[in-house]
Each structure stands twice: as C-alpha cells, then as structure tokens.
Amino acid sequence: MRPTESKQRKKAGPALTRLWTYMIILIACAVIPLALVFGVEFIQRGNMNEAWMWLSSNPKLFVMNALLDFFVFLVIYALVGRLLPTIALSVLLLSVMSFISFFKLKLIGEPFFPWDIFLNKESMNIAPLVTTKSAMLRIGTMLGVVVALLVSSFWLPRLRLGWKTRIVVGLAAVFALYSFGVNAPWASRVMYQMGASEIVWNQSENYGNNGMALAFTMNVKNAIVPKPEGYDEPSMANLAQSLKTQAGVQTASAKANPFSGQQPNVIFIMNEAFWDPTLLPNVTFSEDPAPTVHRLQKESTSGYLLSPQFGGGTSNVEYEVLTGQSMSFLPAGSVPYQQYISKPVPSLAGYFEEQGYKSMAIHSYEGWFWNRENVYREMGFESFMSKDQFNNPQYKGDFISDDEVTNHIIQQVDSTDKPMFIYTVTMQNHGPYDDNRYGGSEVQVEGDLTPEAKNTLETYTQGVKDADASLQKLIDHFTETGEPTVIVFYGDHLPMLGYDFDVYAQTGFISTPKSEKWSLDELRRMRSVPFVTWSNIDLPKEEVPVLSNSFLGAYMLDHMGMQLPETLAYNRELSRKMPGLLRNLVVDANMQMYSDVPEALADDVSNYRQLQYDTLFGKQYLAKYIDSPYLQQTAMPNYNQEFVEKPADSEDDLDGTLNASEKGSP
C-alpha cells in the first residue's frame, strides 16, 4: 500500500465515524420523541389500549406532541451533551409528569398543570395515595429503564455534540417551547393545523383529546390571568357608581337586625370533605351518621353549596368563601393562595375587624400548607391558630380530631372579650379512606359494594359521624351559655372515595367514572356539599337549593341583617339571578343548568369578573371611587402577636375553660 493511500484511509476513518455518529443522533431525535409520547400517554391513560386508540385516531396530534417532546429532548441534550443520559433524563422528566397527571386524574379528576410545579411541600400530601402495589410497580419499571440507560452510557459510545452545536440547538429549542407556551402567532397556526382544540372549561377532556404534552403546553399561557375585555378606569368608575346606588337600595330595604344591637359570634366551620353519605343510592347504614346535620336541615337555614373542587384543593374553597371571588375566572387548577395573594385583599376577616370583632382562623394542620400563614395576614385576620398552637391534642387517625378543634373554638370564644369571627378548617376526615384508621367503624354499610369500597365508605362515614358530633358539642355549649352566636357548618368538597370515583360509580350515584362524560345534573351532584346553620337567636329559616361558595359570605351577612359592603352587595344581588357559578356549570334562578354563562346573564358575570380582576390583579380603581374600609383593607399590625408571645395554649388553660363552660360560666 502506498503512503498516500494509507493517509487517505486514516483521514476517512474519523470522517466516517462522525457521519455514523450524526446519523445515530438524527435517528434518535426522530424515534425517541415518538416513543416518549406513546409512553407518556400509556402512563396517563392507564392502559395500552386507550393510548393506542388515541394515537391511531389522532395521528396529527400524536406528531404535535412528539414535536413538543422533541424540543424538550433537545434542551436536555444541549445541557448534557451526551445521547444516552439525555434519553434517560427525558424519560424521567416526562414520565414523572405523566405519573403525576395520572394520579391527580384518578384522585380528584384534574390533570397536571404548569403551576403545580410550584406546589413543593403540598405535593407530599398525596404521597400516601400513590404507594399501592400497582403504582409502585409502574414507577419502579420507569426508574429501572432510567437506571439502565444511565449505566449503559458508561460502556456505549457517548455520541456527543460539540459545544457550538449545543448552544445553537438549545437556544432554538427553548425559543420553540416558549413560542408554543405563550401561543405565539406562528406556533398557534402550527397547533391549529395539527388539529389542536383547547378545552379550557374541562381540563380532563382537554388532556384526553390533545395529549399531555400539548395540553400542558397550551396551559402555560393560562398561568397569566388576562385583563377582561373593557376593563379600564372609566368603566370601573361607572361600575362603582352603580354599586353605590345598588348598595343604597339594599341598605334601605335591609332586614332588621335580629340580635337587638348585640354582635353575635360568627363561626364558619369548613369541615374537611364533609358530605352526606346517605345520599348514595343502593346502600343502607346501620344508623344515621349525621343526625345533627339532618335535624338542622329541618329546623334552620340550610342548603347545598356548589364547590369549585372535588376531592382536594381546600384552599380554593376558602378563597371563594372569604373573598367572595370566584375560581371560575382563574385558570383551571390554579391555587390563588400560592399564586396570586401577596398583598392585602378584601375578605370577611377584614370586614368583621372593621365591625369591632376579633377575627381568627383555626386550622388543625401545618400553618405553611397552602401558604395560609401568609395569606391569612393579607386577608386581615388578627390571629391564626395552626397545628403548632394545639398543645398535646387528641388525634383520630393521622390528624387532630374534630372534637379537639371544637374544644379550641370554645376556648377562644370564652377567653375573648370581643365578639369573634372564626373561620375554622378541620383535618380529621382527610382522605384517603382505605387505611382503616379507626380500627373499625361504628356505622356499618350494606350494599352491592366490593370489600374495598365498603371499607372505604365505612371509614369515611365514621369521620362524618365524628364531625356531626363535634358540631352538636359546639351547639350545646352556646345553648348553655346563651352568648349570641351564629354557626355556619359545611364541607369543602365531596370526598375522594377510591380511584376513578369508585364508590360513587358502584352505588349508581354517577353513571360513569369518566368525569368528562357526566351530565350537568351529575356534575352538580358531584359538586354539591350540604351546609347548615344554627343560632341561639331566631333567624329566618330558608332553604337554599344551590349557592356557590363565592356567594356564601354575602348571603350570610344579609341573612344576619348586617350591612353589606358594595362588592358583597353585588354578590348578593347576582346570587339571586344566578345562584350557581362554576367553570363548566351555571345555575340560574329557575334552577336551569348551563355549561356556560347564558346570554341573559353575560353582562352581570362580566361585571363580576371585572370587580375580581380589579381587586386581585388590576389597579384597584374601585377603591378610588368608593370610600369603603372594606376595599382598602390592610394587614393587621398585630397579626398573630398572641401566638408569637404565647406559642401554644397550655392544657390547664384549655381544661379550665371547658370546665367553666360546663358549669354555665360565660
């Protein structure tokens, strides 16, 4: 062989190697995203057949999802620079997102949203729910694949990209993902041509139709709440004038105060997952698990609240009740406590403080959960008693008992000279309910249920029985002392009774476990939570068939003959025209149901949306034109001072107060 031929072969060797390297990389870039999409959809949908049916029925959407996964793959490749670790990290990232979406859909009917990324400690709350054998097997398989790829990368060719190529590829991929996320015009055209159709009002259907990667990306833009059409200072000035006129009319025709000039304690108790299990058809109970609630439904004002949540998201219900604002105007799956409330906002707490009350929040769980310890300050609460302020409390199951919470409500009222507004959130009956936490139930359930479903329902029902008893204990105390008091008792949402709404489906409460296929009547049933009231001063008895949580505060102030600030007066008037408002369910005054706001109510709802936007995101024009302490609330300067100085009530103090109340002491 001549020297020149040898040199040519030596030069051709590296060139051929580079060619094969680039060919393998190109093949991987084409195949891996397709495999990732199928794997993600298999995990999210729960079985191979549904994933294949979606793929074969929606080839364009499949390609669109693969394109988005391709850009994610490129971003990781640009950062890592080696092919096999990039594949491993891509599998890990997208699989984890898909597992989260799968479990969220199973548990509460909602998929994984972009803003869920910011739920750090809160996300651990569902950890016990995903440790079943089948779940651990799936997760273990995914982790096994990731580990195998990472180990293989030490022996197989590294297939690197040069740093210049990595910079160009990475920046191009980030730009593409950003464009799709913010719905840039060119990206919007691509998604439209590929058959994307965003279903904002039903996110489980949105993810099911479009695929997880595409639906997740389309939701990115929803993290920013857009300004409502027509929102500006002149329009808010006109609305302010209308509100002042309307509030004046309501004041002139207001109900007489039934408390003869006294200020009653006002106690809201939002009992965790409280619902009436006797509403389930085709099952019977060995005894009435909620005799107090059922009696109050006959004797006092009561009805059903339309909750924006199912199975979780307690803080969103608090948000609606305390502020009078609606989750319907915020992105699906968002959490205002985490995302939006970082400055003072008008709330019932601030309203009662202006009336001379002491406002206190009580929650028998961690104060940091859902950012409550900060949010309650911005809402104008004077104090927040969290789990840390419960000294040596009684537990039932994994959580502080409802009875213990009742004891602390009594102790706080009896030890405070001022009338009190207390907003209480309990924890005892938090799911899941397949843990046999009580070692057996006092209430036995009979019906055509699987053993697992029967055990779940009996465990939940025992929690209902305890909650009902704690309410009766509170009523007994104020009946005995005679101190003017109003109690409002309700649940935040229906309980999650097994995966795929298992107990509800087995009993026939719903026709299908597929929430996107529910009728409007089924949707209403799955969001309707009973509420009851009690007072030791006669109040009018009213039956309320449906009322959104966002209207509850205004309704109760009006019911008690208290003067409503302008925005809550608007809520009260709107609730008479449209008592029910959810993202995908509207109920009008004639109890007609709609999946969207009917034309006759569009202007009223538009005003409601503008009032909320002005308060939460806008320039607070309304406060400029309405001189109202309610609209100009500030955080209490002494917020939680009593618990900073005195971290927890002593057991002696609590026992002494309860003993005094038992003797009839005020």
PDB file of all heavy atoms in Angstrom, residues 320-346:
ATOM      1  N   GLU A 320     -62.834  31.336  47.923  1.00  0.00           N
ATOM      2  CA  GLU A 320     -64.136  31.796  47.458  1.00  0.00           C
ATOM      3  C   GLU A 320     -64.988  32.322  48.605  1.00  0.00           C
ATOM      4  O   GLU A 320     -65.599  33.395  48.499  1.00  0.00           O
ATOM      5  CB  GLU A 320     -64.874  30.659  46.738  1.00  0.00           C
ATOM      6  CG  GLU A 320     -64.349  30.342  45.359  1.00  0.00           C
ATOM      7  CD  GLU A 320     -65.396  29.726  44.450  1.00  0.00           C
ATOM      8  OE1 GLU A 320     -66.425  29.217  44.949  1.00  0.00           O
ATOM      9  OE2 GLU A 320     -65.207  29.765  43.229  1.00  0.00           O
ATOM     10  N   VAL A 321     -65.052  31.571  49.702  1.00  0.00           N
ATOM     11  CA  VAL A 321     -65.911  31.969  50.819  1.00  0.00           C
ATOM     12  C   VAL A 321     -65.415  33.264  51.455  1.00  0.00           C
ATOM     13  O   VAL A 321     -66.199  34.181  51.720  1.00  0.00           O
ATOM     14  CB  VAL A 321     -65.987  30.850  51.878  1.00  0.00           C
ATOM     15  CG1 VAL A 321     -66.763  31.327  53.104  1.00  0.00           C
ATOM     16  CG2 VAL A 321     -66.653  29.604  51.292  1.00  0.00           C
ATOM     17  N   LEU A 322     -64.124  33.361  51.701  1.00  0.00           N
ATOM     18  CA  LEU A 322     -63.583  34.509  52.439  1.00  0.00           C
ATOM     19  C   LEU A 322     -63.546  35.787  51.616  1.00  0.00           C
ATOM     20  O   LEU A 322     -63.724  36.884  52.141  1.00  0.00           O
ATOM     21  CB  LEU A 322     -62.178  34.180  52.956  1.00  0.00           C
ATOM     22  CG  LEU A 322     -62.130  33.216  54.146  1.00  0.00           C
ATOM     23  CD1 LEU A 322     -60.710  32.717  54.377  1.00  0.00           C
ATOM     24  CD2 LEU A 322     -62.661  33.896  55.410  1.00  0.00           C
ATOM     25  N   THR A 323     -63.320  35.688  50.303  1.00  0.00           N
ATOM     26  CA  THR A 323     -63.191  36.891  49.471  1.00  0.00           C
ATOM     27  C   THR A 323     -64.445  37.215  48.679  1.00  0.00           C
ATOM     28  O   THR A 323     -64.606  38.347  48.225  1.00  0.00           O
ATOM     29  CB  THR A 323     -62.022  36.743  48.471  1.00  0.00           C
ATOM     30  OG1 THR A 323     -62.337  35.702  47.530  1.00  0.00           O
ATOM     31  CG2 THR A 323     -60.725  36.429  49.188  1.00  0.00           C
ATOM     32  N   GLY A 324     -65.319  36.229  48.470  1.00  0.00           N
ATOM     33  CA  GLY A 324     -66.468  36.445  47.600  1.00  0.00           C
ATOM     34  C   GLY A 324     -66.102  36.422  46.132  1.00  0.00           C
ATOM     35  O   GLY A 324     -66.919  36.754  45.271  1.00  0.00           O
ATOM     36  N   GLN A 325     -64.876  36.024  45.817  1.00  0.00           N
ATOM     37  CA  GLN A 325     -64.430  35.927  44.432  1.00  0.00           C
ATOM     38  C   GLN A 325     -64.573  34.493  43.935  1.00  0.00           C
ATOM     39  O   GLN A 325     -64.699  33.557  44.721  1.00  0.00           O
ATOM     40  CB  GLN A 325     -62.988  36.415  44.324  1.00  0.00           C
ATOM     41  CG  GLN A 325     -62.833  37.876  44.719  1.00  0.00           C
ATOM     42  CD  GLN A 325     -61.401  38.354  44.703  1.00  0.00           C
ATOM     43  OE1 GLN A 325     -60.486  37.612  44.359  1.00  0.00           O
ATOM     44  NE2 GLN A 325     -61.181  39.612  45.091  1.00  0.00           N
ATOM     45  N   SER A 326     -64.556  34.331  42.608  1.00  0.00           N
ATOM     46  CA  SER A 326     -64.869  33.039  42.011  1.00  0.00           C
ATOM     47  C   SER A 326     -63.662  32.421  41.322  1.00  0.00           C
ATOM     48  O   SER A 326     -62.937  33.091  40.587  1.00  0.00           O
ATOM     49  CB  SER A 326     -66.003  33.187  41.000  1.00  0.00           C
ATOM     50  OG  SER A 326     -66.246  31.963  40.332  1.00  0.00           O
ATOM     51  N   MET A 327     -63.463  31.130  41.556  1.00  0.00           N
ATOM     52  CA  MET A 327     -62.429  30.385  40.848  1.00  0.00           C
ATOM     53  C   MET A 327     -62.731  30.271  39.357  1.00  0.00           C
ATOM     54  O   MET A 327     -61.840  29.956  38.569  1.00  0.00           O
ATOM     55  CB  MET A 327     -62.303  28.980  41.444  1.00  0.00           C
ATOM     56  CG  MET A 327     -61.663  28.921  42.816  1.00  0.00           C
ATOM     57  SD  MET A 327     -59.954  29.501  42.850  1.00  0.00           S
ATOM     58  CE  MET A 327     -59.191  28.385  41.671  1.00  0.00           C
ATOM     59  N   SER A 328     -63.968  30.543  38.971  1.00  0.00           N
ATOM     60  CA  SER A 328     -64.362  30.419  37.565  1.00  0.00           C
ATOM     61  C   SER A 328     -63.596  31.382  36.664  1.00  0.00           C
ATOM     62  O   SER A 328     -63.483  31.142  35.458  1.00  0.00           O
ATOM     63  CB  SER A 328     -65.865  30.682  37.408  1.00  0.00           C
ATOM     64  OG  SER A 328     -66.611  29.827  38.221  1.00  0.00           O
ATOM     65  N   PHE A 329     -63.079  32.460  37.232  1.00  0.00           N
ATOM     66  CA  PHE A 329     -62.380  33.470  36.441  1.00  0.00           C
ATOM     67  C   PHE A 329     -60.867  33.284  36.459  1.00  0.00           C
ATOM     68  O   PHE A 329     -60.136  34.128  35.931  1.00  0.00           O
ATOM     69  CB  PHE A 329     -62.722  34.869  36.960  1.00  0.00           C
ATOM     70  CG  PHE A 329     -64.200  35.159  37.007  1.00  0.00           C
ATOM     71  CD1 PHE A 329     -64.754  35.818  38.090  1.00  0.00           C
ATOM     72  CD2 PHE A 329     -65.040  34.761  35.980  1.00  0.00           C
ATOM     73  CE1 PHE A 329     -66.108  36.093  38.148  1.00  0.00           C
ATOM     74  CE2 PHE A 329     -66.405  35.018  36.022  1.00  0.00           C
ATOM     75  CZ  PHE A 329     -66.942  35.684  37.108  1.00  0.00           C
ATOM     76  N   LEU A 330     -60.415  32.215  37.066  1.00  0.00           N
ATOM     77  CA  LEU A 330     -58.985  31.942  37.174  1.00  0.00           C
ATOM     78  C   LEU A 330     -58.647  30.683  36.396  1.00  0.00           C
ATOM     79  O   LEU A 330     -59.522  29.854  36.135  1.00  0.00           O
ATOM     80  CB  LEU A 330     -58.585  31.783  38.645  1.00  0.00           C
ATOM     81  CG  LEU A 330     -58.849  33.016  39.525  1.00  0.00           C
ATOM     82  CD1 LEU A 330     -58.541  32.693  40.991  1.00  0.00           C
ATOM     83  CD2 LEU A 330     -58.016  34.206  39.067  1.00  0.00           C
ATOM     84  N   PRO A 331     -57.392  30.492  36.025  1.00  0.00           N
ATOM     85  CA  PRO A 331     -57.028  29.295  35.261  1.00  0.00           C
ATOM     86  C   PRO A 331     -57.407  28.010  35.988  1.00  0.00           C
ATOM     87  O   PRO A 331     -57.265  27.909  37.211  1.00  0.00           O
ATOM     88  CB  PRO A 331     -55.502  29.419  35.124  1.00  0.00           C
ATOM     89  CG  PRO A 331     -55.226  30.879  35.241  1.00  0.00           C
ATOM     90  CD  PRO A 331     -56.248  31.406  36.197  1.00  0.00           C
ATOM     91  N   ALA A 332     -57.894  27.039  35.230  1.00  0.00           N
ATOM     92  CA  ALA A 332     -58.262  25.753  35.818  1.00  0.00           C
ATOM     93  C   ALA A 332     -57.061  25.165  36.541  1.00  0.00           C
ATOM     94  O   ALA A 332     -55.953  25.129  36.014  1.00  0.00           O
ATOM     95  CB  ALA A 332     -58.742  24.803  34.725  1.00  0.00           C
ATOM     96  N   GLY A 333     -57.298  24.709  37.771  1.00  0.00           N
ATOM     97  CA  GLY A 333     -56.231  24.095  38.537  1.00  0.00           C
ATOM     98  C   GLY A 333     -55.334  25.061  39.273  1.00  0.00           C
ATOM     99  O   GLY A 333     -54.404  24.646  39.968  1.00  0.00           O
ATOM    100  N   SER A 334     -55.578  26.360  39.155  1.00  0.00           N
ATOM    101  CA  SER A 334     -54.729  27.335  39.839  1.00  0.00           C
ATOM    102  C   SER A 334     -55.038  27.366  41.330  1.00  0.00           C
ATOM    103  O   SER A 334     -56.088  26.893  41.778  1.00  0.00           O
ATOM    104  CB  SER A 334     -54.905  28.729  39.231  1.00  0.00           C
ATOM    105  OG  SER A 334     -56.244  29.165  39.336  1.00  0.00           O
ATOM    106  N   VAL A 335     -54.111  27.914  42.111  1.00  0.00           N
ATOM    107  CA  VAL A 335     -54.243  27.994  43.564  1.00  0.00           C
ATOM    108  C   VAL A 335     -53.952  29.437  43.977  1.00  0.00           C
ATOM    109  O   VAL A 335     -52.794  29.829  44.125  1.00  0.00           O
ATOM    110  CB  VAL A 335     -53.270  27.029  44.273  1.00  0.00           C
ATOM    111  CG1 VAL A 335     -53.466  27.081  45.782  1.00  0.00           C
ATOM    112  CG2 VAL A 335     -53.445  25.607  43.756  1.00  0.00           C
ATOM    113  N   PRO A 336     -54.990  30.265  44.147  1.00  0.00           N
ATOM    114  CA  PRO A 336     -54.764  31.676  44.486  1.00  0.00           C
ATOM    115  C   PRO A 336     -53.883  31.882  45.709  1.00  0.00           C
ATOM    116  O   PRO A 336     -53.070  32.805  45.740  1.00  0.00           O
ATOM    117  CB  PRO A 336     -56.186  32.199  44.732  1.00  0.00           C
ATOM    118  CG  PRO A 336     -57.064  31.309  43.922  1.00  0.00           C
ATOM    119  CD  PRO A 336     -56.419  29.965  43.957  1.00  0.00           C
ATOM    120  N   TYR A 337     -54.044  31.028  46.725  1.00  0.00           N
ATOM    121  CA  TYR A 337     -53.223  31.170  47.932  1.00  0.00           C
ATOM    122  C   TYR A 337     -51.731  31.083  47.601  1.00  0.00           C
ATOM    123  O   TYR A 337     -50.905  31.711  48.256  1.00  0.00           O
ATOM    124  CB  TYR A 337     -53.575  30.069  48.946  1.00  0.00           C
ATOM    125  CG  TYR A 337     -54.758  30.368  49.829  1.00  0.00           C
ATOM    126  CD1 TYR A 337     -55.743  31.272  49.455  1.00  0.00           C
ATOM    127  CD2 TYR A 337     -54.907  29.731  51.055  1.00  0.00           C
ATOM    128  CE1 TYR A 337     -56.830  31.529  50.264  1.00  0.00           C
ATOM    129  CE2 TYR A 337     -55.989  29.980  51.883  1.00  0.00           C
ATOM    130  CZ  TYR A 337     -56.951  30.873  51.483  1.00  0.00           C
ATOM    131  OH  TYR A 337     -58.033  31.130  52.297  1.00  0.00           O
ATOM    132  N   GLN A 338     -51.400  30.284  46.612  1.00  0.00           N
ATOM    133  CA  GLN A 338     -49.996  30.098  46.239  1.00  0.00           C
ATOM    134  C   GLN A 338     -49.545  31.108  45.183  1.00  0.00           C
ATOM    135  O   GLN A 338     -48.400  31.543  45.193  1.00  0.00           O
ATOM    136  CB  GLN A 338     -49.799  28.692  45.653  1.00  0.00           C
ATOM    137  CG  GLN A 338     -49.960  27.568  46.640  1.00  0.00           C
ATOM    138  CD  GLN A 338     -48.686  27.307  47.424  1.00  0.00           C
ATOM    139  OE1 GLN A 338     -47.707  28.014  47.280  1.00  0.00           O
ATOM    140  NE2 GLN A 338     -48.699  26.297  48.262  1.00  0.00           N
ATOM    141  N   GLN A 339     -50.449  31.481  44.280  1.00  0.00           N
ATOM    142  CA  GLN A 339     -50.032  32.200  43.088  1.00  0.00           C
ATOM    143  C   GLN A 339     -50.334  33.696  43.104  1.00  0.00           C
ATOM    144  O   GLN A 339     -49.579  34.480  42.523  1.00  0.00           O
ATOM    145  CB  GLN A 339     -50.713  31.569  41.858  1.00  0.00           C
ATOM    146  CG  GLN A 339     -50.298  30.132  41.593  1.00  0.00           C
ATOM    147  CD  GLN A 339     -51.186  29.493  40.535  1.00  0.00           C
ATOM    148  OE1 GLN A 339     -52.043  28.694  40.838  1.00  0.00           O
ATOM    149  NE2 GLN A 339     -50.980  29.854  39.290  1.00  0.00           N
ATOM    150  N   TYR A 340     -51.429  34.094  43.717  1.00  0.00           N
ATOM    151  CA  TYR A 340     -51.917  35.448  43.465  1.00  0.00           C
ATOM    152  C   TYR A 340     -51.990  36.362  44.680  1.00  0.00           C
ATOM    153  O   TYR A 340     -51.971  37.585  44.532  1.00  0.00           O
ATOM    154  CB  TYR A 340     -53.317  35.386  42.826  1.00  0.00           C
ATOM    155  CG  TYR A 340     -53.427  34.481  41.634  1.00  0.00           C
ATOM    156  CD1 TYR A 340     -54.451  33.538  41.529  1.00  0.00           C
ATOM    157  CD2 TYR A 340     -52.498  34.543  40.591  1.00  0.00           C
ATOM    158  CE1 TYR A 340     -54.553  32.692  40.430  1.00  0.00           C
ATOM    159  CE2 TYR A 340     -52.597  33.703  39.493  1.00  0.00           C
ATOM    160  CZ  TYR A 340     -53.625  32.784  39.427  1.00  0.00           C
ATOM    161  OH  TYR A 340     -53.723  31.958  38.350  1.00  0.00           O
ATOM    162  N   ILE A 341     -52.124  35.812  45.879  1.00  0.00           N
ATOM    163  CA  ILE A 341     -52.359  36.670  47.037  1.00  0.00           C
ATOM    164  C   ILE A 341     -51.043  36.991  47.732  1.00  0.00           C
ATOM    165  O   ILE A 341     -50.499  36.187  48.496  1.00  0.00           O
ATOM    166  CB  ILE A 341     -53.346  36.013  48.029  1.00  0.00           C
ATOM    167  CG1 ILE A 341     -54.682  35.772  47.332  1.00  0.00           C
ATOM    168  CG2 ILE A 341     -53.541  36.895  49.260  1.00  0.00           C
ATOM    169  CD1 ILE A 341     -55.742  35.126  48.196  1.00  0.00           C
ATOM    170  N   SER A 342     -50.521  38.171  47.434  1.00  0.00           N
ATOM    171  CA  SER A 342     -49.267  38.623  48.045  1.00  0.00           C
ATOM    172  C   SER A 342     -49.400  40.056  48.557  1.00  0.00           C
ATOM    173  O   SER A 342     -48.411  40.685  48.896  1.00  0.00           O
ATOM    174  CB  SER A 342     -48.126  38.535  47.027  1.00  0.00           C
ATOM    175  OG  SER A 342     -48.426  39.300  45.873  1.00  0.00           O
ATOM    176  N   LYS A 343     -50.628  40.548  48.581  1.00  0.00           N
ATOM    177  CA  LYS A 343     -50.917  41.884  49.099  1.00  0.00           C
ATOM    178  C   LYS A 343     -52.290  41.827  49.755  1.00  0.00           C
ATOM    179  O   LYS A 343     -53.044  40.871  49.546  1.00  0.00           O
ATOM    180  CB  LYS A 343     -50.909  42.915  47.970  1.00  0.00           C
ATOM    181  CG  LYS A 343     -51.969  42.642  46.900  1.00  0.00           C
ATOM    182  CD  LYS A 343     -51.878  43.612  45.745  1.00  0.00           C
ATOM    183  CE  LYS A 343     -52.954  43.290  44.708  1.00  0.00           C
ATOM    184  NZ  LYS A 343     -52.872  44.177  43.532  1.00  0.00           N
ATOM    185  N   PRO A 344     -52.648  42.823  50.577  1.00  0.00           N
ATOM    186  CA  PRO A 344     -53.956  42.782  51.243  1.00  0.00           C
ATOM    187  C   PRO A 344     -55.116  42.679  50.262  1.00  0.00           C
ATOM    188  O   PRO A 344     -55.128  43.352  49.229  1.00  0.00           O
ATOM    189  CB  PRO A 344     -53.992  44.103  52.012  1.00  0.00           C
ATOM    190  CG  PRO A 344     -52.559  44.417  52.286  1.00  0.00           C
ATOM    191  CD  PRO A 344     -51.824  43.955  51.054  1.00  0.00           C
ATOM    192  N   VAL A 345     -56.074  41.816  50.587  1.00  0.00           N
ATOM    193  CA  VAL A 345     -57.277  41.661  49.765  1.00  0.00           C
ATOM    194  C   VAL A 345     -58.500  41.750  50.671  1.00  0.00           C
ATOM    195  O   VAL A 345     -58.470  41.299  51.817  1.00  0.00           O
ATOM    196  CB  VAL A 345     -57.285  40.318  49.002  1.00  0.00           C
ATOM    197  CG1 VAL A 345     -56.186  40.266  47.974  1.00  0.00           C
ATOM    198  CG2 VAL A 345     -57.148  39.142  49.964  1.00  0.00           C
ATOM    199  N   PRO A 346     -59.587  42.342  50.192  1.00  0.00           N
ATOM    200  CA  PRO A 346     -60.819  42.408  50.991  1.00  0.00           C
ATOM    201  C   PRO A 346     -61.334  41.010  51.305  1.00  0.00           C
ATOM    202  O   PRO A 346     -61.362  40.134  50.428  1.00  0.00           O
ATOM    203  CB  PRO A 346     -61.792  43.165  50.080  1.00  0.00           C
ATOM    204  CG  PRO A 346     -60.925  43.910  49.115  1.00  0.00           C
ATOM    205  CD  PRO A 346     -59.729  43.044  48.901  1.00  0.00           C
TER     206      PRO A 346
END
